[in-house]
Amino acid sequence: MLTIGIETSCDETSCAVLEGQNRIRSNIVSSSLLRHVPYGGIVPEIASRHCLEQIDFVFSQALKQARVKAKDCALVAVTEGPGLIGSLLVGVCFAKALSYGLGVPLVAVNHLDAHLESAFISNEGKFKGVLSSRKPARYVGLLVSGGHTLLTYHVKNKVKKLGETVDDAAGEAYDKVAKILGLGYPGGPVIDRLSREGNPRAIAFTKPKQSQRFGFSFSGIKTAVLYYVEKQKKRGISPSAFKTMQKDIAASFQHAVVQWLVEKTLDAAEVQRVKDIVVGGGVSANSLLRERLAAEGLLRGITTHFPHLSLTNDNAVMIARRGVDLYKRKQWADWTLAADPNLKMV
Ligand code: KG4
Ligand code: ZN
């Protein structure tokens, strides 16, 4: 069975063709990222206009790359939310029209569920190291993206929320710290890269006090970075010393954030007595998080599953994959489907 996936929750416009559950026939992603760079963050109006301009093109490219015709496809899966309302509406309207025109079922996918599903897409074994044959019956999920940081417990098809961030999301903290350091947008990839050249012990960031055992907080560290940079600028730091400082801050920030994520996730896995952890969302691309969570989990007999690097960012393959699951459970959408910018996972 061929499924068309459509993802337009934020700044990416993506369309994919998935064969069965695990064969990627195509995955076209058009990003409006460069258009947002001058503003240091996503401008919703620019993002939604980009989706509108691109949706037809990414759809026809996805069919072309997959070497299929629209009429060969048996299912349409679309992101219902959460995300930016203008962007979401483009995908939802397009998908409804497509499903109506083709006479095939429509399924509405939660973007966050889809991120966690990415860790099980091995593309028929072509993505080395990604689990495909055995999805664990019970696991702890760590969703780390630009808008969310959430720890969940999954058993069969039920999900329970264990904790979430009380302020900024992990990806948002990366983006804000990069802005303070003058490193542009998005912050995650550039801070991850610079970290490798800096000293992770240069600055000791204080761990936030948390009332919730599985809760997170990232706004304190962002403010600490801001004060630190302002203090150095007041002292009249030289351009070359500023470059070294950028690297040290990047490394110390990344070290602290990853340590908090790893500690809480392993604690949750131990409390829930699970042997598997599943990570998803843009921050799951982070090199230190991948390294540390896998290594420290292994010491406790826990396996950590990460998506293939090509699927950590927003993409329509994960939407199609989750859509197939929902279709099999007969959770189809109807013509009343509307975009839900605040859709929750649990
Ligand atoms: O999941 P995603 O593509 O969009 C949302 O659904 O929010 O996540 C985007 C976020 C951005 O905040 C970006 O800075 C972050 O993921 N990100 C990273 C890395 N690559 C992307 N954060 C840390 N390290 C990375 N390597
Ligand atoms: Zn996302």
Side-chain angles (χ1 to χ4, degrees):
M1 183 177 91
L2 295 175
T3 301
I4 300 174
I6 296 170
E7 152 65 31
T8 61
S9 66
C10 189
D11 55 331
E12 266 96 27
T13 311
S14 178
C15 185
V17 177
L18 185 71
E19 184 177 337
Q21 278 191 302
N22 207 15
R23 182 168 176 214
I24 302 172
R25 295 283 295 259
S26 63
N27 180 30
I28 308 294
V29 183
S30 165
S31 177
S32 58
L33 202 67
L34 290 177
R35 293 192 185 180
H36 304 280
V37 168
Y39 309 96
I42 301 289
V43 182
E45 186 62 23
I46 295 178
S48 58
R49 278 171 190 268
H50 180 88
C51 291
L52 201 54
E53 283 164 23
Q54 294 292 306
I55 186 78
D56 216 17
F57 177 70
V58 296
F59 170 64
S60 53
Q61 285 301 110
L63 292 179
K64 199 171 161 190
Q65 197 181 82
R67 295 169 197 254
V68 296
K69 299 232 176 328
K71 64 175 175 50
D72 302 330
C73 301
L75 179 66
V76 177
V78 65
T79 305
E80 177 186 7
L84 301 172
I85 184 67
S87 299
L88 286 168
L89 273 172
V90 174
V92 167
C93 293
F94 191 89
K96 279 163 87 171
L98 190 61
S99 135
Y100 182 79
L102 295 174
V104 301
L106 174 72
V107 280
V109 173
N110 181 317
H111 180 86
L112 309 179
D113 288 339
H115 265 308
L116 282 186
E117 197 66 31
S118 306
F120 304 117
I121 306 172
S122 74
N123 199 11
E124 294 193 319
K126 287 189 199 81
F127 293 168
K128 297 284 169 248
V130 176
L131 181 87
S132 59
S133 52
R134 185 192 62 95
K135 183 172 172 176
R138 298 189 319 115
Y139 56 90
V140 157
L142 171 68
L143 181 88
V144 268
S145 71
H148 296 83
T149 304
L150 190 64
L151 265 175
T152 43
Y153 170 59
H154 301 245
V155 53
K156 295 193 178 131
N157 289 322
K158 294 203 176 67
V159 187
K160 186 178 143 198
K161 179 160 76 179
L162 301 175
E164 64 190 329
T165 178
V166 294
D167 40 54
D168 293 347
E172 191 179 354
Y174 268 91
D175 297 335
K176 287 180 175 171
V177 165
K179 196 170 177 181
I180 294 167
L181 294 175
L183 296 170
Y185 178 87
V190 61
I191 290 187
D192 196 5
R193 186 162 25 83
L194 272 188
S195 289
R196 276 176 236 136
E197 298 165 36
N199 174 8
R201 316 229 168 251
I203 308 149
F205 290 112
T206 326
K207 192 172 169 181
K209 285 198 183 69
Q210 293 263 249
S211 51
Q212 280 183 48
R213 182 165 178 180
F214 303 119
F216 297 97
S217 168
F218 296 105
S219 79
I221 191 166
K222 166 205 68 190
T223 312
V225 169
L226 180 68
Y227 288 161
Y228 186 86
V229 172
E230 279 178 354
K231 204 165 130 193
Q232 302 305 316
K233 280 186 180 164
K234 269 190 200 137
R235 279 190 187 159
I237 188 167
S238 71
S240 70
F242 186 77
K243 280 218 153 15
T244 310
M245 184 194 77
Q246 273 181 328
K247 291 174 186 166
D248 286 347
I249 292 178
S252 305
F253 166 80
Q254 172 145 304
H255 174 77
V257 167
V258 167
Q259 191 179 328
W260 301 337
L261 289 172
V262 169
E263 269 175 18
K264 297 250 172 177
T265 309
L266 290 176
D267 186 28
E270 288 191 338
V271 167
Q272 298 299 328
R273 296 173 190 275
V274 298
K275 289 283 163 217
D276 294 274
I277 290 169
V278 176
V279 192
V283 184
S284 70
N286 188 268
S287 60
L288 190 65
L289 180 66
R290 292 175 88 98
E291 191 185 299
R292 290 278 304 281
L293 196 52
E296 291 187 30
L298 217 56
L299 291 176
R300 295 166 172 79
I302 295 169
T303 310
T304 309
H305 309 278
F306 284 96
H308 187 260
L309 278 176
S310 63
L311 296 182
T312 54
N313 282 330
D314 293 348
N315 66 83
V317 173
M318 66 181 194
I319 304 300
R321 162 73 179 227
R322 176 73 182 157
V324 175
D325 279 359
L326 296 174
Y327 171 77
K328 285 186 174 166
R329 281 191 243 146
K330 301 217 174 345
Q331 293 181 20
W332 305 358
D334 60 31
W335 306 128
T336 62
L337 176 67
D340 183 351
N342 299 314
L343 190 66
K344 300 270 181 280
M345 187 169 163
V346 266

